[in-house]
Amino acid sequence: MNQPILSVKDLTYVYMKSTPLEHQALLGVNMEITEGEIVAIIGHTGCGKSTLIQHFNGIHFPQTGHVMINGMDLTKPKLDVKSLRRQVGLVFQNPEDQLFEKLVGDDIAYGPFKMKLPLEEVRERVKWAMEMVGLPFDEMKDRATFALSGGQKRKVALAGVLALRPKILVLDEPTAGLDPKSRRELLEKIKKLNQEEGITVIFVSHNMEEVAYLADRIYVMAGGKEVCHGTPEEIFTNPEIILQHRIGTPETVRTLHRLHEEGYAVNTGRFRVEDASTEIRKLLPE
Amino acid sequence: MANEPLLQVEDVSYSYKINSKETLQVLTDVSFSVQKGEYVAIIGHNGSGKSTLSKLLNGILVPEKGQVRVKNLLTSDRTQIKEIRRTVGMVFQHPDNQIVATIVEDDIAFGLENIGVPHDEMDARITGALEAVGMSEYRYRPPHHLSGGQKQRVAIAGILAMQPECLVLDEATSMLDSYGRDDVLAIMRKLHENGMTIITVTHHMNEVIEADRVIVIAEGKIAMVGSPREIFMRQQELESLHLDVPDCSRIAKVLHQEVSSFNATAMNPEEIVSEVKRLTHVNQEESKS
Amino acid sequence: MVERGLTVRKIVIAGVLGAIAILLGVTRIGYIPVPTPAGNATIMHIPVIIGAIMEGWGVGMIIGLIFGVSSFLNATVVLFKDPLVAILPRLLIGVFAYITYVGLKNFNQYVAIGMAGFVGSLSNTILVMTMAVVQNYLVPGAAIAVVLTQGIPEAIVSVIVTLAVVTTWKKLGPSGKQKSKIS
Amino acid sequence: MSSPFELTRNITIGQYLVRNSIIHKLDPRFKLASFAILLVGIAICDSYIGNLIGLFLSIYLFHLASIPVSYGVSGLKPAIPFMIIIGLMQLFLYKEMSPDNVIYWQLGFLEVSSASIKIVIISVLRFMQIIFLSSILTLSTSTTEITRGLERLLSPLQKVKFPVHAFSLIITIAIRFVPTFAMEMEKMMKAQASRGAEFGTGAWWQIIKRTTEMFPLIIPLFNVALARGEDLILAMEARCYTPGSSRTVYTQYKANGNDYVALLVSVGIVFVLVFIPYPW
């Protein structure tokens, strides 16, 4: 069972092909993601990461190269886009903007209703999705969407995608603009979805604390290509990659790198506060 | 001439009307003052009232009870509002929603035109403001081609050109990616070094490290005031207010518990490193002797 | 709170709704595929109606002007390459919508908003067709046919959209104890 | 395969082409005024020769502006089917009661006369001139310049309390936000599509269903726009904007010889088009 659930091979993409505004967004990306993983994609604005993830649920189609998702070949002309979109849930940046129904329950039920599921099943899915993101079903389903706080709206939007029951969840900057409390809650929910429901998670982020907290593996992208990948520990211990691609590092890693530069023998990949503390503790006298 | 504060907030309360009957109290009896040249951070989680507070500082909102003075002008005095707003400039959260014009230089000119700066003076002011934020080469560009961080820098330039004495940043970094945020924070640092009074409103703790003073707002009241170092020491209280402590402060705390001579108030990588150096150095000295 | 003349709010609301009017005109989103002689119903005039309901006839008139000029500049049909047809009638959409709204709002908000959507939209069709006849592009019979077959569906679409947008924004929202479909 | 979501590609507002021509360098106030004068001339002129001269001159303007005529022609293309329909209607339905109108053909209420033929040909010529002229104006002038020019031209109206600056500010804001909203819309279309949105699925007569199907796009578009508006209001107030109060002006235009020449030439052309009694 080592077949990857998602694989990308030599993928290229050009925006506004054959117009003066032509812009090459992807220049041969390769990527393999195994079922049940949490993978972070990081890189500078304009490195192509948004274009890449929009390939994952049929917003863009490969111009050259291949994308295989759960056995579906996205280059096939007779691709069933609907079924692809049910397997891959895509949550865009600031997804709260897309809420349009007046009531929370209705907005989350939009996708399932579009799938022509029976009412009973729709309700079940909405209930499950709401509980997964931490919105109590009975209390919240008849609330007005516009009266919610920013963090709650984002949870509703996430639930709206989860109600499609995707196998793979793709998130673009899931916590951008949230306050620390909502941020932490949301990250916990994503982790829970992965651990308890086995959903494969792929997310784009600029926040390295968040990447360190969630990701099993990191892909670093630059200039329309993936330049390297590895576990957070592997990436964060590599000062060349960090410098060359201007990857911000968690404060813990920055501290360890500083110590390393000063000639102390520390493992620079220990990004959790407890691990970093232990690492530094070793340097100190008893 | 006594040292008159630039900004005085005195017993301010404020509430919003939810509908004809109910109101929501967002601020209760808040008082503080800001001296010229100070760097003050106001921090609190969403709904704590910090954004309302920032909007009271330049008279966008007027206190229900109490008063706000800018250089001794009352913000409730609508005849002085222009003077107050040219003294206290304000940058908002969403970079896209504060740019008015279709060309960067026109947008910076917008504020200057409003306060009646003579035409001959404008050019120099625009050049200066763009230089201060490092956006000179974008002067003739349309704003929608800029990144979020660049737009925010243009917004700051638009305020700087008006030559305010105090700059209020209302969650100005929260929509930016990490590079954009670093750029904006660097600009704030530079402005402060050049004597600008800065008030930053944020929910990110690692943005307040450089402030002279931190004011923590919770449920419409001032919960804590102090230097960043003092505030970070009160980790548990902060956590109960849903606020994070920078990772380095947490590391320092852990280390202090195990090695009591480790300074628990270290709050950034440099300070941790120098503490490690100090202690290992002492240790080497000891082992030598 | 009665403020005279153009407030900052009026200026900004007119600006952003004007932007939507332009955007709807230059992309396909402005057309709803329902059966009319043109093959779809346009919603490009709806920002005008919404502006008039929210901020008064003056704002409605300015958005109408932006809508008119944009449809004049983007026109691919000869009819709208004539400013008297493309621009002039559009100035009045907001006025009619506003009068309808104000006249009915003390009776019932929802009815007032819906009717403003209806009247505003229909006045668009009727005025454009009137000008088309005046300017000799169409004969009266054809114009009346257009009003009936294009104007009525467009007015219905306008009622639905105007109601949805304005009630959401004014937070009139679910009246009382509305339940979601899944309850 | 191109993506169905590339909205920004279709937005042609401000088709400004950067060139260094005489036309590009004209003071926008004078350019707009000349444009308006020429439009009036074209609208009034109803002789064959006058319109042919006008057409020739408007094509010549492309040359002056260093813009290929194909840009103007491409503006004509989409209009051709409608022009044919309108042309046919005018041809058969237009009636004129004048002694020298010759009727060539008649069937019931349909008739073809010398007057109806003339009106069809003149309309086509007029239409081409208008398209060409407005193409030149928008291709050689940025939207910012058009707005500024308009503001200055209208500024005498300030005397009668017409809020000229506020008015041009509204237009500036509108133009400023079109690309922003377009990007927003593009994101919205993608996001709703990933939730399974489909548009235009109901039976053709289900107006309400087909309209509400667009809600996932329309409602957020208005909400986002109005929310941005709320922010912008605060930002403008914070930058001391007060409608109606006196302000200074950053961009100032100074007309030079070319500008006056352009204006005079336009007046001259109108004279040639309108006041010379051509035989046809």
Side-chain angles (χ1 to χ4, degrees):
Chain A
M1 269 293 288
N2 268 341
Q3 191 76 1
I5 191 165
L6 186 149
S7 76
V8 178
K9 239 188 137 194
D10 302 326
L11 180 68
T12 69
Y13 193 83
V14 182
Y15 274 104
M16 307 215 165
K17 217 171 181 172
S18 57
T19 70
L21 294 168
E22 187 173 296
H23 163 64
Q24 176 108 32
L26 299 177
L27 305 116
V29 178
N30 289 288
M31 188 173 277
E32 278 197 352
I33 291 167
T34 321
E35 189 160 5
E37 268 191 308
I38 303 189
V39 173
I41 302 176
I42 62 177
H44 221 287
T45 308
C47 69
K49 51 195 190 314
S50 290
T51 313
L52 174 66
I53 61 170
Q54 287 175 11
H55 277 84
F56 296 163
N57 88 339
I59 298 291
H60 297 309
F61 293 95
Q63 285 174 346
T64 69
H66 288 274
V67 178
M68 288 282 289
I69 294 171
N70 202 22
M72 298 175 86
D73 185 348
L74 268 62
T75 41
K76 286 264 165 63
K78 280 188 186 159
L79 177 76
D80 182 358
V81 180
K82 269 191 195 168
S83 124
L84 172 69
R85 288 187 181 153
R86 279 166 208 173
Q87 301 196 34
V88 183
L90 180 49
V91 181
F92 282 80
Q93 247 180 70
N94 302 330
E96 57 276 12
D97 289 348
Q98 54 183 268
L99 305 182
F100 67 98
E101 291 276 10
K102 289 207 169 112
L103 300 173
V104 170
D106 288 345
D107 206 282
I108 300 172
Y110 176 74
F113 271 130
K114 281 282 161 196
M115 291 165 73
K116 309 225 162 45
L117 297 170
L119 183 66
E120 229 1 78
E121 162 109 45
V122 173
R123 196 207 329 264
E124 275 312 304
R125 285 184 172 219
V126 172
K127 190 170 177 195
W128 172 81
M130 286 179 74
E131 268 150 24
M132 281 323 288
V133 299
L135 297 168
F137 178 71
D138 291 319
E139 190 189 319
M140 298 292 292
K141 70 177 184 337
D142 301 324
R143 287 273 191 94
T145 36
F146 52 65
L148 303 176
S149 72
Q152 280 175 319
K153 278 188 192 167
R154 189 161 302 184
K155 285 181 184 170
V156 172
L158 175 58
V161 173
L162 284 178
L164 301 165
R165 283 284 198 164
K167 280 200 156 119
I168 305 175
L169 186 62
V170 184
L171 306 117
D172 195 352
E173 300 271 358
T175 67
L178 292 183
D179 67 306
K181 183 181 167 225
S182 314
R183 176 184 294 254
R184 213 174 311 123
E185 279 176 15
L186 195 66
L187 291 175
E188 279 162 18
K189 303 297 176 209
I190 296 171
K191 195 149 206 172
K192 195 170 111 193
L193 278 165
N194 173 260
Q195 286 173 343
E196 292 178 11
E197 304 290 326
I199 296 178
T200 309
V201 176
I202 303 168
F203 73 106
V204 165
S205 180
H206 282 290
N207 183 316
M208 290 306 137
E209 270 81 14
E210 182 174 308
V211 171
Y213 172 77
L214 276 184
D216 299 322
R217 252 168 2 107
I218 299 175
Y219 273 89
V220 181
M221 285 187 68
K225 281 183 181 168
E226 96 292 349
V227 287
C228 65
H229 57 97
T231 62
E233 207 167 318
E234 284 164 2
I235 300 289
F236 292 147
T237 41
N238 190 335
E240 278 154 47
I241 295 176
I242 290 172
L243 270 177
Q244 195 187 339
H245 301 293
R246 279 188 76 193
I247 300 169
T249 45
E251 212 173 271
T252 46
V253 174
R254 224 175 310 148
T255 310
L256 294 170
H257 274 287
R258 281 289 297 122
L259 285 166
H260 187 79
E261 281 165 32
E262 296 286 335
Y264 292 98
V266 284
N267 177 352
T268 50
R270 312 304 297 272
F271 49 82
R272 290 195 181 80
V273 170
E274 306 79 57
D275 299 343
S277 305
T278 320
E279 201 66 26
I280 301 174
R281 174 69 189 88
K282 288 185 208 153
L283 302 173
L284 299 176
E286 289 310 306
Chain B
M1 272 256 306
N3 214 349
E4 190 69 26
L6 184 64
L7 216 126
Q8 280 169 282
V9 177
E10 293 159 5
D11 294 320
V12 164
S13 298
Y14 195 86
S15 61
Y16 286 106
K17 278 200 181 65
I18 300 175
N19 51 40
S20 49
K21 284 170 204 141
E22 288 169 89
T23 55
L24 179 71
Q25 190 73 27
V26 277
L27 288 175
T28 321
D29 298 330
V30 172
S31 300
F32 65 93
S33 62
V34 177
Q35 299 292 334
K36 201 159 171 41
E38 240 191 319
Y39 186 158
V40 176
I42 298 175
I43 190 158
H45 71 88
N46 280 0
S48 61
K50 63 179 191 307
S51 248
T52 308
L53 180 57
S54 71
K55 290 182 182 69
L56 286 160
L57 299 180
N58 69 346
I60 288 178
L61 299 176
V62 178
E64 228 167 50
K65 203 182 118 255
Q67 53 193 27
V68 177
R69 288 168 186 279
V70 174
K71 287 208 300 187
N72 263 331
L73 302 173
L74 279 173
T75 57
S76 53
D77 179 357
R78 297 324 260 182
T79 60
Q80 297 292 342
I81 203 71
K82 251 191 185 173
E83 187 53 35
I84 288 167
R85 288 181 181 160
R86 4 174 1 163
T87 310
V88 180
M90 196 149 175
V91 180
F92 295 86
Q93 180 176 21
H94 211 305
D96 241 329
N97 303 356
Q98 34 190 328
I99 296 178
V100 183
T102 45
I103 303 283
V104 166
E105 68 163 354
D106 280 7
D107 188 70
I108 294 168
F110 175 74
L112 301 180
E113 293 172 335
N114 292 340
I115 58 172
V117 172
H119 176 257
D120 303 332
E121 212 182 297
M122 280 194 206
D123 194 60
R125 286 216 198 179
I126 293 172
T127 311
L130 281 171
E131 252 164 41
V133 299
M135 289 291 290
S136 303
E137 54 180 311
Y138 296 91
R139 181 165 183 162
Y140 305 105
R141 301 277 187 91
H144 65 268
H145 287 163
L146 308 181
S147 74
Q150 290 172 328
K151 282 179 201 158
Q152 199 64 300
R153 278 146 71 190
V154 170
I156 294 175
I159 301 294
L160 289 182
M162 296 168 75
Q163 300 177 342
E165 289 175 50
C166 173
L167 191 63
V168 179
L169 297 106
D170 187 359
E171 296 196 41
T173 59
S174 71
M175 306 292 284
L176 308 182
D177 64 28
S178 48
Y179 314 111
R181 172 173 304 163
D182 288 349
D183 288 341
V184 169
L185 289 175
I187 290 167
M188 284 161 64
R189 189 180 310 131
K190 200 175 80 189
L191 289 171
H192 177 56
E193 278 163 11
N194 294 337
M196 175 78 80
T197 313
I198 292 185
I199 302 176
T200 173
V201 178
T202 175
H203 47 229
H204 289 290
M205 263 301 176
N206 28 12
E207 284 179 23
V208 312
I209 291 176
E210 289 171 44
D212 300 324
R213 191 152 53 107
V214 181
I215 299 174
V216 181
I217 299 276
E219 275 144 39
K221 293 186 178 134
I222 293 183
M224 297 180 219
V225 184
S227 70
R229 218 175 282 282
E230 287 160 11
I231 297 286
F232 293 158
M233 287 300 286
R234 296 155 79 175
Q235 196 176 325
Q236 257 150 17
E237 276 173 85
L238 286 173
E239 270 163 16
S240 71
L241 299 173
H242 306 298
L243 294 170
D244 276 329
V245 174
D247 283 350
C248 283
S249 273
R250 289 164 62 197
I251 292 176
K253 221 146 183 208
V254 174
L255 293 174
H256 174 73
Q257 273 162 12
E258 299 193 12
V259 181
S260 59
S261 53
F262 196 97
N263 184 359
T265 67
M267 56 184 185
N268 59 34
E270 287 314 310
E271 291 181 0
I272 300 263
V273 171
S274 69
E275 274 303 289
V276 172
K277 270 184 172 172
R278 183 177 66 86
L279 291 172
T280 49
H281 192 64
V282 168
N283 197 34
Q284 279 160 5
E285 303 269 288
E286 275 170 7
S287 55
K288 266 183 215 159
S289 58
Chain C
M1 196 164 57
V2 184
E3 281 183 89
R4 298 203 53 203
L6 279 168
T7 57
V8 183
R9 169 169 297 275
K10 287 184 179 183
I11 290 171
V12 170
I13 300 291
V16 293
L17 289 175
I20 295 187
I22 298 174
L23 182 67
L24 293 178
V26 293
T27 59
R28 292 155 302 152
I29 321 155
Y31 303 94
I32 300 211
V34 294
T36 63
N40 48 51
T42 172
I43 56 166
M44 282 180 257
H45 55 290
I46 293 183
V48 183
I49 298 170
I50 291 170
I53 294 175
M54 287 175 52
E55 298 297 333
W57 61 269
V59 167
M61 210 157 176
I62 294 169
I63 306 171
L65 178 70
I66 295 175
F67 165 44
V69 172
S70 137
S71 83
F72 168 68
L73 291 176
N74 288 305
T76 50
V77 292
V78 74
L79 188 60
F80 294 111
K81 270 295 170 196
D82 183 339
L84 288 177
V85 180
I87 302 175
L88 197 63
R90 270 64 189 270
L91 297 177
L92 297 173
I93 303 173
V95 178
F96 283 108
Y98 177 71
I99 293 171
T100 314
Y101 174 69
V102 169
L104 292 171
K105 78 173 176 192
N106 290 328
F107 168 62
N108 179 312
Q109 277 281 340
Y110 291 87
V111 174
I113 295 166
M115 279 309 289
F118 190 82
V119 172
S121 179
L122 207 57
S123 66
N124 176 39
T125 324
I126 293 176
L127 291 167
V128 167
M129 285 303 125
T130 311
M131 286 314 292
V133 172
V134 171
Q135 291 291 90
N136 259 321
Y137 295 104
L138 290 175
V139 288
I144 290 170
V146 171
V147 170
L148 294 177
T149 55
Q150 180 81 28
I152 301 286
E154 254 170 34
I156 296 174
V157 169
S158 167
V159 171
I160 303 168
V161 175
T162 308
L163 259 176
V165 171
V166 179
T167 54
T168 308
W169 185 250
K170 286 199 162 187
K171 305 206 190 306
L172 289 175
S175 49
K177 295 272 176 281
Q178 199 180 326
K179 292 273 185 175
S180 72
K181 281 177 248 167
I182 49 164
S183 304
Chain D
M1 192 164 172
S2 96
S3 161
F5 300 104
E6 282 181 15
L7 255 192
T8 26
R9 171 195 280 190
N10 300 324
I11 295 203
T12 50
I13 177 174
Q15 309 141 303
Y16 183 54
L17 279 186
V18 183
R19 295 282 188 281
N20 206 16
S21 78
I22 265 193
I23 304 284
H24 280 74
K25 277 190 268 182
L26 284 180
D27 180 330
R29 295 172 299 173
F30 283 75
K31 209 192 300 192
L32 278 168
S34 310
F35 173 71
I37 292 170
L38 287 173
L39 271 192
V40 170
I42 291 165
I44 297 174
C45 173
D46 57 358
S47 64
Y48 290 123
I49 295 185
N51 273 291
L52 281 173
I53 295 175
L55 186 63
F56 173 76
L57 287 173
S58 52
I59 291 173
Y60 181 65
L61 276 178
F62 277 97
H63 174 71
L64 274 185
S66 322
I67 294 169
V69 188
S70 61
Y71 275 89
V73 176
S74 70
L76 283 177
K77 267 186 210 152
I80 291 171
F82 197 84
M83 274 168 75
I84 292 173
I85 295 171
I86 292 285
L88 286 175
M89 282 170 69
Q90 279 175 331
L91 186 64
F92 291 113
L93 300 173
Y94 183 75
K95 292 185 176 64
E96 191 178 284
M97 303 302 165
S98 82
D100 32 288
N101 188 14
V102 189
I103 296 174
Y104 298 117
W105 181 81
Q106 198 167 19
L107 180 80
F109 62 94
L110 302 175
E111 64 176 47
V112 176
S113 64
S114 59
S116 69
I117 291 177
K118 184 172 181 182
I119 202 167
V120 169
I121 295 174
I122 297 286
S123 302
V124 169
L125 289 175
R126 201 177 268 168
F127 176 62
M128 289 168 74
Q129 295 168 66
I130 293 175
I131 295 247
F132 284 168
L133 272 184
S134 42
S135 300
I136 288 168
L137 180 73
T138 49
L139 287 164
S140 72
T141 328
S142 69
T143 42
T144 311
E145 273 187 315
I146 294 182
T147 324
R148 284 173 180 164
L150 212 60
E151 183 183 346
R152 304 298 187 283
L153 276 181
L154 294 177
S155 62
L157 288 177
Q158 242 151 4
K159 299 232 163 61
V160 294
K161 300 269 179 204
F162 182 82
V164 178
H165 177 262
F167 186 70
S168 89
L169 187 58
I170 291 172
I171 294 170
T172 306
I173 293 173
I175 294 170
R176 146 88 182 81
F177 275 99
V178 169
T180 311
F181 292 165
M183 285 188 253
E184 201 89 50
M185 205 62 222
E186 198 175 314
K187 193 190 90 181
M188 215 77 78
M189 288 168 79
K190 290 174 178 176
Q192 305 295 17
S194 7
R195 288 169 78 189
E198 288 167 299
F199 309 113
T201 55
W204 62 268
W205 42 268
Q206 291 175 301
I207 296 184
I208 296 183
K209 180 159 188 252
R210 289 201 159 195
T211 308
T212 49
E213 260 173 359
M214 295 295 281
F215 276 11
L217 297 182
I218 299 171
I219 306 279
L221 175 63
F222 277 98
N223 280 344
V224 166
L226 291 170
R228 283 176 183 276
E230 293 297 323
D231 280 3
L232 188 61
I233 292 170
L234 294 185
M236 283 167 62
E237 284 184 344
R239 283 165 80 185
C240 299
Y241 181 69
T242 19
S245 75
S246 68
R247 52 204 313 280
T248 45
V249 181
Y250 174 53
T251 327
Q252 294 189 340
Y253 289 105
K254 222 172 161 219
N256 61 25
N258 279 346
D259 299 316
Y260 291 104
V261 171
L263 199 63
L264 280 177
V265 168
S266 306
V267 173
I269 291 173
V270 170
F271 192 82
V272 170
L273 294 185
V274 178
F275 294 108
I276 296 180
Y278 295 105
W280 302 296

